[in-house]
Amino acid sequence: MNILETPALQAFVACAHNGWLQGWHERNGGNLSYRMTAGEAQLCCPCFDESGPWLPLGVEAPGLANAYFIVTGTNRYFQNIKEKPEENIGVAQLSETGDAWRIVWGLTVGHMPTSEFPTHILNHAVRAAATGGRSRVIYHAHPVDVVALTFVLPVTAKAFSRALWQAMTECVVIFPEGVGAVPWMVCGGAEVARATAREMERFAAVIWGQHGIFCAGENFDSTFGMMHAIDKAAQILLKVMAAGRPVLQTITDDNLRAIGEAFGLEINEEFLDGSAAFH
Ligand code: 13P
Ligand code: ZN
């Protein structure tokens, strides 16, 4: 069998390529991981080489022991994933103790998963717990307008949630709990992984100050869609801020509550305090 013809690998490659087409992945920017189902791992098993060494993850996720993840490689370019998947993505298995990994397929160049693998794994752990095991995708990207907004809005969950909700009507439907935020930190280690995972306990999307965004979801479409919606709302906000005209009307908190009622959503009341999200 050809692992690249399995639906999970095909969907992974398609998602990564769509991110490249959006302009979210300069050079090696961004990374993507998918927690395989037991059935998917079993299907791909004939292609796995389990003789590689275990390497320390730097964080622990005992709840995900032995799980398999499709993951992008460190310093690999999203641009090239579609043409040469086995060089740029791979399958990594987590150890029995959940604190080490080994590559069982792919990543034939570099032989290392993304430097944000600790953040991906901790995010998988908390999102799986938050969703009864349904969350499977963690996606990190560098959308220009989201990053630009982190220079002019406070990098807090409340400020970003309110601004994004007010920018585009659909936002509160897509993320009624809001988005999380982590002010600028050194990327690629255990510390940023823990800070991000703390936010992911409550939010499926987390903004990284002056860097990018992490999104989590049950499948590639919903995770990519979340990234896309947040990016679009950020574009609207920046255009409004640059319009050189006072903001005459926006989406009010009562409007947001009305959407909640109409769609049967529980909107995070903590963030509905009537304050102006942007000027
Ligand atoms: P990697 O090449 O290690 O995936 O890093 C890219 C990135 O976006 C770091 O935050
Ligand atoms: Zn990054």
Side-chain angles (χ1 to χ4, degrees), residues 189-250:
E191 209 183 325
V192 75
R194 292 200 182 95
T196 309
R198 262 196 304 277
E199 293 291 284
M200 281 254 166
E201 284 172 14
R202 297 169 63 207
F203 307 108
V206 176
I207 311 290
W208 271 12
Q210 296 79 53
H211 186 135
I213 177 164
F214 268 84
C215 288
E218 295 181 16
N219 56 54
F220 293 103
D221 277 351
S222 64
T223 313
F224 187 91
M226 168 102 72
M227 185 78 74
H228 204 183
I230 292 171
D231 182 40
K232 194 166 186 181
Q235 288 180 41
I236 292 169
L237 282 168
L238 287 174
K239 277 193 196 293
V240 171
M241 288 172 178
R245 309 267 307 173
V247 174
L248 297 182
Q249 54 273 318
T250 178

Side-chain angles (χ1 to χ4, degrees), residues 24-32 71-78 112-117 120 140-142 187-188 192 208 211-212 214:
W24 295 337
H25 300 287
E26 78 294 341
R27 201 176 182 276
N28 63 312
N31 23 77
L32 177 65
V71 62
T72 51
T74 189
N75 219 9
R76 309 305 303 163
Y77 294 21
F78 269 56
M112 291 279 282
T114 171
S115 58
E116 308 293 1
F117 205 35
H120 280 254
H140 170 56
H142 298 169
C187 55
V192 75
W208 271 12
H211 186 135
F214 268 84

Side-chain angles (χ1 to χ4, degrees), residues 108-139:
T108 59
V109 179
H111 309 286
M112 291 279 282
T114 171
S115 58
E116 308 293 1
F117 205 35
T119 299
H120 280 254
I121 294 297
L122 288 193
N123 285 346
H124 276 295
V126 297
R127 291 313 298 170
T131 61
R134 289 191 305 279
S135 183
R136 295 202 169 269
V137 181
I138 299 291
Y139 184 22

Side-chain angles (χ1 to χ4, degrees), residues 5-263:
E5 283 169 8
T6 62
L9 269 286
Q10 297 240 311
F12 186 101
V13 170
C15 180
H17 193 67
N18 285 335
W20 159 249
L21 295 178
Q22 288 294 327
W24 295 337
H25 300 287
E26 78 294 341
R27 201 176 182 276
N28 63 312
N31 23 77
L32 177 65
S33 67
Y34 172 74
R35 183 171 60 88
M36 298 175 93
T37 65
E40 286 162 346
Q42 203 174 11
L43 179 68
C44 296
C45 194
C47 302
F48 291 167
D49 171 0
E50 305 203 325
S51 65
W54 291 105
L55 290 160
L57 179 63
V59 293
E60 287 172 24
L64 300 180
N66 303 313
Y68 292 88
F69 299 86
I70 310 173
V71 62
T72 51
T74 189
N75 219 9
R76 309 305 303 163
Y77 294 21
F78 269 56
Q79 178 183 357
N80 299 331
I81 288 174
K82 197 173 170 192
E83 286 303 311
K84 295 187 171 170
E86 63 279 17
E87 289 185 6
N88 299 297
I89 69 172
V91 177
Q93 186 189 11
L94 215 54
S95 67
E96 231 169 61
T97 42
D99 62 355
W101 56 268
R102 68 179 173 190
I103 291 166
V104 297
W105 176 84
L107 290 175
T108 59
V109 179
H111 309 286
M112 291 279 282
T114 171
S115 58
E116 308 293 1
F117 205 35
T119 299
H120 280 254
I121 294 297
L122 288 193
N123 285 346
H124 276 295
V126 297
R127 291 313 298 170
T131 61
R134 289 191 305 279
S135 183
R136 295 202 169 269
V137 181
I138 299 291
Y139 184 22
H140 170 56
H142 298 169
V144 173
D145 298 281
V146 177
V147 178
L149 263 192
T150 69
F151 289 78
V152 296
L153 287 182
V155 183
T156 65
K158 184 171 163 185
F160 263 83
S161 300
R162 288 186 64 70
L164 294 167
W165 284 346
Q166 290 190 8
M168 199 168 80
T169 299
E170 282 291 300
C171 281
V172 77
V173 179
I174 301 166
F175 43 91
E177 69 284 1
V179 296
V182 172
W184 187 92
M185 285 180 77
V186 174
C187 55
E191 209 183 325
V192 75
R194 292 200 182 95
T196 309
R198 262 196 304 277
E199 293 291 284
M200 281 254 166
E201 284 172 14
R202 297 169 63 207
F203 307 108
V206 176
I207 311 290
W208 271 12
Q210 296 79 53
H211 186 135
I213 177 164
F214 268 84
C215 288
E218 295 181 16
N219 56 54
F220 293 103
D221 277 351
S222 64
T223 313
F224 187 91
M226 168 102 72
M227 185 78 74
H228 204 183
I230 292 171
D231 182 40
K232 194 166 186 181
Q235 288 180 41
I236 292 169
L237 282 168
L238 287 174
K239 277 193 196 293
V240 171
M241 288 172 178
R245 309 267 307 173
V247 174
L248 297 182
Q249 54 273 318
T250 178
I251 302 170
T252 66
D253 284 3
D254 281 343
N255 294 155
L256 293 169
R257 289 191 182 97
I259 295 170
E261 268 170 43
F263 287 76

